[in-house]
Amino acid sequence: MCLPRHDPEIHGESGLGGTDLLPPVDADDDILFYPAGAKAIAVMAETILSNPDPVCLVVIGPMTNVALLLSVYPEVVPRIRSLAFMGGTLKGGNRSPVAEFNILASPTPHTANAQMHVHDAECDPEAAQIVLTSGIKEIAMIPLDVTHMTLTTKQVLETLEQKIKPINPRFYQMLRELLCFFNQTYCEVFGFKEGSPLHDPNAVAYLIDPTIYDRKLMRVDVECASTLCYGQTICDIWEQSPLPKNCWVTTSVDVDKFWELMMDAWKQAAKASPL
């Protein structure tokens, strides 16, 4: 059974720690964008199939729902133009020596039994493997190796103050508090001194402008059996696999252009924010 994992030591108990400017979450609030009781994958399938043009999907967490969607509604596959996911790693993981959180989140940093580590994992490597082998026309992987290049440095925070604060001071305050909280926890947990990496926006940025990323088409599979390497993204960098190439793996990013995209997005959000 896959249990939820929210990493409060990184994101805070609410998932958006560090600011008091966001309204509290009320479980009774009607915040759903689809009818109550509707199944998520059914809504996803209806949305994709009813759209006149093929769609792009962005995956910024475990791929369980997407894998279910593709398994139950295989007819959506040709209607997906591109899928970009933040996840995986080429060099080293942040939830095991070789696995990244969105692919694998270990149940505890002190698990002694390697076999238990496999069975008790809380994220879904099998789902990632289903997605990677689904036949979607274009899949792009934005791994830790790339997101660790887009750090929220002191310079980024200064630019944020110059460009966002004049538009909406309260929105700026909320954004700065969120980013600084993330900077602090990433420093405490992972030792990042210059700033925390902005992970998930890279998957969106890739779909907006893939030209700011260096990438290589290669075979990617996810290890789903090994007690040592469970959840590892196996990237065939040197083209040794006989299997067909299935994923564009990004290897670097134009950091300045990435932050230009982020600042433009934050400007629009500052103008529309109710804060």
Side-chain angles (χ1 to χ4, degrees):
M1 180 177 66
C2 292
L3 302 174
R5 177 67 184 262
H6 305 299
D7 260 15
E9 73 273 18
I10 296 293
H11 301 291
E13 290 295 336
S14 70
L16 289 170
T19 184
D20 295 325
L21 293 178
L22 290 169
V25 176
D26 186 342
D28 296 326
D29 283 349
D30 183 14
I31 59 173
L32 298 176
F33 295 97
Y34 51 87
K39 299 294 189 293
I41 62 170
V43 175
M44 293 165 69
E46 180 183 358
T47 302
I48 293 170
L49 295 172
S50 64
N51 201 68
D53 299 310
V55 304
C56 296
L57 293 185
V58 181
V59 186
I60 55 173
M63 299 194 202
T64 305
N65 277 349
V66 179
L68 285 171
L69 169 72
L70 301 176
S71 300
V72 177
Y73 299 96
E75 62 268 29
V76 305
V77 171
R79 303 296 300 162
I80 298 173
R81 180 169 65 86
S82 181
L83 181 149
F85 72 94
M86 189 277 122
T89 176
L90 287 162
K91 296 178 182 177
N94 61 359
R95 274 298 172 268
S96 86
V98 295
E100 179 271 336
F101 178 90
N102 285 346
I103 309 297
L104 168 72
S106 62
T108 168
H110 304 295
T111 298
N113 187 316
Q115 189 65 37
M116 183 182 295
H117 177 83
V118 170
H119 294 302
D120 290 355
E122 293 159 324
C123 285
D124 200 346
E126 290 81 6
Q129 178 66 5
I130 289 172
V131 172
L132 282 164
T133 56
S134 64
I136 291 174
K137 182 178 180 181
E138 178 181 297
I139 298 176
M141 170 176 155
I142 295 83
L144 289 179
D145 315 75
V146 171
T147 65
H148 283 180
M149 298 177 184
T150 54
L151 302 179
T152 308
T153 62
K154 181 179 179 181
Q155 181 180 352
V156 169
L157 294 175
E158 290 174 351
T159 304
L160 192 74
E161 182 174 10
Q162 295 167 6
K163 295 190 174 183
I164 308 302
K165 187 175 182 179
I167 300 173
N168 186 331
R170 281 177 61 81
F171 177 83
Y172 159 76
Q173 179 185 345
M174 177 202 68
L175 190 57
R176 180 181 174 84
E177 288 174 350
L178 289 170
L179 293 171
C180 288
F181 178 85
F182 197 42
N183 276 2
Q184 179 181 346
T185 60
Y186 234 82
C187 179
E188 293 171 352
V189 176
F190 292 112
F192 278 57
K193 305 295 185 183
E194 296 181 21
S196 58
L198 216 58
H199 296 293
D200 297 342
N202 271 280
V204 181
Y206 174 88
L207 291 175
I208 294 173
D209 187 1
T211 66
I212 72 173
Y213 293 87
D214 290 327
R215 62 179 190 169
K216 181 178 180 179
L217 184 62
M218 62 181 76
R219 178 71 189 191
V220 179
D221 290 285
V222 179
E223 177 56 58
C224 297
S226 169
T227 57
L228 291 176
C229 301
Y230 187 59
Q232 182 178 9
T233 42
I234 310 298
C235 301
D236 184 26
I237 300 172
W238 304 116
E239 302 184 1
Q240 300 298 307
S241 174
L243 298 173
K245 298 174 182 179
N246 60 344
C247 185
W248 287 97
V249 178
T250 58
T251 56
S252 66
V253 58
D254 185 320
V255 175
D256 290 338
K257 290 184 178 179
F258 170 82
W259 284 113
E260 287 176 12
L261 284 175
M262 285 305 307
M263 290 298 167
D264 287 342
W266 282 331
K267 284 180 183 178
Q268 296 302 315
K271 294 173 183 177
S273 172
L275 289 178

